[in-house]
Amino acid sequence: MVHGKVTALLTGAILIAAALTVHARSQDSLADEWQAHFESQGADPGTFYLEMRTSGWKHNHNWGNSHKPGEFYGLDPKLATNDGAARFELRREAGTLAFEGNFRAGRGSGAFRFDPSPEFVQSMKVLGYSNLSNDQLLAFASQDVTTQFVKDLSDVGYHNVSVDQLLALRIHGATPNFIRAIAAQLSAKPSLDDLVAMRIHGVSPEFVSEMKSLLGKNFDVDQYVAFRIHGVSPEFVREVRERVGKDVTADELVAMRIHGADAEFVKGIDAQIGRNLNVDELVAFRIHGVSPEFVGQMHQLVAKDLSADDLVAFRIHGVSPEFVKEMKDEGYNGISAEQLVAMRIHGVNAAYVKELRGHGYNHLSVDDLIEMRIHGYPHRASM
């Protein structure tokens, strides 16, 4: 009986030791699946998009990135058009990724193995990055995060950068050279998040320099990012300043782009109105759908001296060219802008005029129509 217990304990110990050995080995490398395709440009293989997936009991990670085919050792560029087996490597300071699989019609898939570099792990410890996981090391290898990159960031004033921030900076191309150049253009040191945001949205040192020169002042990072998000380019600034005025503010430029008040729209409106509108008027026109065509039609049907407020009020209250024409067909010419808006507000239309005439109310003025509509004439009980 005792012998059986001892045997069971020894067997359990062996199994635990085996499990620990497997676990220890799993810490030395990662292995899972990959898929990729050549992003061809004619006969040129162009770039190579590679996606890797690792999964386990407590995690599921995906990494995807575009590379130059030449970054890989043993990757045959002919696989962009030829089918066949493939074996290639991506060698980085953080470790080596070995891929095996097959390609068909420029697309491949298979299994990969990642072996972290012990030297890199030790060097990163010296730089303050201890206990890096294999997933983090794999991400460093995929994005080519090097010890030199960490040191260069420190040299330009960014210390104790987190793992996620290191990856974000590399993914979006916020290199030390970019950091130096953009920081020289800004009035305050950008944060790491600022640097990533600028790279994502295309805020370059050249863009900042040109916008500063055009608008005569420096802006914060959020404003430069807003310019890029909404398409406020140096070309747009020049066009607006030429047509609207040189005192247009940054917020006004963004508002114009958000609402589509571009140079062509401004030119068309100015030609109809006969003067340069200010930014608030132009934005209101775009918000409410006052187009050059609408202005031209209302000038012909109502009056030539309509104000910007009149035209916006028309659109808000539904004073359309069709409405004006219907009222003209009922004999109402020369209706003022204020009367047209009041008619629409109170529901005076051609059908109402005909209804009143059917009850003997003929030759009523516009003001009479509005007044009767307000007071509910004709009363439904008497009809």
Side-chain angles (χ1 to χ4, degrees):
M1 187 70 173
V2 173
H3 176 74
K5 288 183 178 180
V6 171
T7 302
L9 288 171
L10 286 172
T11 302
I14 292 169
L15 290 173
I16 291 171
L20 289 173
T21 301
V22 170
H23 180 71
R25 287 175 180 170
S26 71
Q27 296 300 302
D28 296 332
S29 63
L30 279 175
D32 219 309
E33 300 174 348
W34 64 271
Q35 57 184 9
H37 63 271
F38 286 88
E39 298 171 320
S40 301
Q41 300 171 355
D44 183 357
T47 56
F48 183 70
Y49 182 79
L50 173 69
E51 185 173 315
M52 295 174 287
R53 182 177 67 84
T54 63
S55 59
W57 182 38
K58 292 185 178 180
H59 75 273
N60 191 351
H61 296 302
N62 280 49
W63 290 268
N65 201 25
S66 290
H67 303 264
K68 295 178 181 179
E71 293 180 49
F72 296 88
Y73 292 83
L75 178 63
D76 187 354
K78 292 180 181 179
L79 290 170
T81 54
N82 297 339
D83 300 345
R87 178 177 290 184
F88 54 96
E89 292 183 350
L90 182 62
R91 299 173 185 174
R92 303 290 203 194
E93 186 183 354
T96 298
L97 284 151
F99 303 88
E100 289 189 28
N102 291 278
F103 276 82
R104 183 178 178 83
R107 293 183 174 274
S109 62
F112 77 87
R113 179 186 177 87
F114 172 62
D115 292 306
S117 164
E119 294 81 7
F120 177 81
V121 171
Q122 185 58 41
S123 296
M124 290 297 284
K125 281 184 181 179
V126 174
L127 294 173
Y129 296 88
S130 300
N131 302 316
L132 290 171
S133 70
N134 276 2
D135 284 332
Q136 290 173 324
L137 291 166
L138 173 58
F140 280 178
S142 174
Q143 303 302 330
D144 199 19
V145 175
T146 64
T147 52
Q148 187 61 52
F149 179 67
V150 177
K151 294 174 185 176
D152 288 343
L153 287 176
S154 181
D155 289 343
V156 294
Y158 296 91
H159 312 287
N160 303 316
V161 181
S162 72
V163 169
D164 288 344
Q165 288 172 324
L166 286 172
L167 290 168
L169 292 168
R170 287 297 293 166
I171 288 169
H172 298 291
T175 64
N177 286 339
F178 168 80
I179 294 170
R180 291 188 188 92
I182 201 72
Q185 294 293 337
L186 299 171
S187 56
K189 178 183 175 181
S191 69
L192 292 170
D193 288 343
D194 287 337
L195 293 167
V196 171
M198 287 189 288
R199 287 297 298 172
I200 288 172
H201 297 290
V203 178
S204 66
E206 296 76 19
F207 176 79
V208 172
S209 176
E210 195 165 7
M211 294 299 282
K212 283 166 54 179
S213 177
L214 283 170
L215 296 173
K217 62 177 291 189
N218 206 341
F219 299 94
D220 61 24
V221 171
D222 288 344
Q223 186 66 71
Y224 287 118
V225 170
F227 285 158
R228 292 295 293 171
I229 288 172
H230 298 293
V232 179
S233 64
E235 294 74 23
F236 178 76
V237 174
R238 293 188 190 96
E239 292 170 350
V240 170
R241 285 162 64 93
E242 182 179 346
R243 299 219 61 92
V244 179
K246 295 187 180 299
D247 58 346
V248 179
T249 68
D251 288 342
E252 287 174 332
L253 288 164
V254 171
M256 291 180 72
R257 287 298 292 171
I258 288 173
H259 297 290
D262 57 18
E264 184 178 353
F265 173 78
V266 174
K267 182 179 179 181
I269 287 293
D270 288 352
Q272 292 289 346
I273 299 291
R275 67 177 178 86
N276 291 347
L277 272 65
N278 62 43
V279 172
D280 287 342
E281 291 171 326
L282 290 165
V283 170
F285 275 20
R286 289 297 294 171
I287 289 172
H288 297 291
V290 179
S291 64
E293 295 74 21
F294 178 79
V295 175
Q297 289 176 306
M298 299 312 279
H299 278 170
Q300 291 180 353
L301 291 167
V302 183
K304 288 286 187 182
D305 60 349
L306 293 170
S307 69
D309 288 342
D310 288 334
L311 291 161
V312 170
F314 285 168
R315 294 296 291 172
I316 290 173
H317 297 290
V319 179
S320 64
E322 293 74 23
F323 173 76
V324 178
K325 290 174 185 176
E326 288 174 358
M327 296 309 300
K328 283 180 175 291
D329 290 342
E330 295 302 324
Y332 291 92
N333 297 296
I335 310 173
S336 71
E338 293 78 7
Q339 288 175 322
L340 285 166
V341 171
M343 292 169 76
R344 290 299 291 168
I345 289 173
H346 297 292
V348 175
N349 54 24
Y352 181 65
V353 172
K354 292 174 181 176
E355 182 182 357
L356 288 175
R357 286 174 179 167
H359 289 276
Y361 294 97
N362 299 305
H363 311 296
L364 295 171
S365 69
V366 169
D367 290 339
D368 290 335
L369 292 169
I370 294 170
E371 189 71 17
M372 293 182 74
R373 193 61 161 154
I374 290 172
H375 294 288
Y377 292 105
H379 295 298
R380 296 297 168 189
S382 63
M383 291 174 59

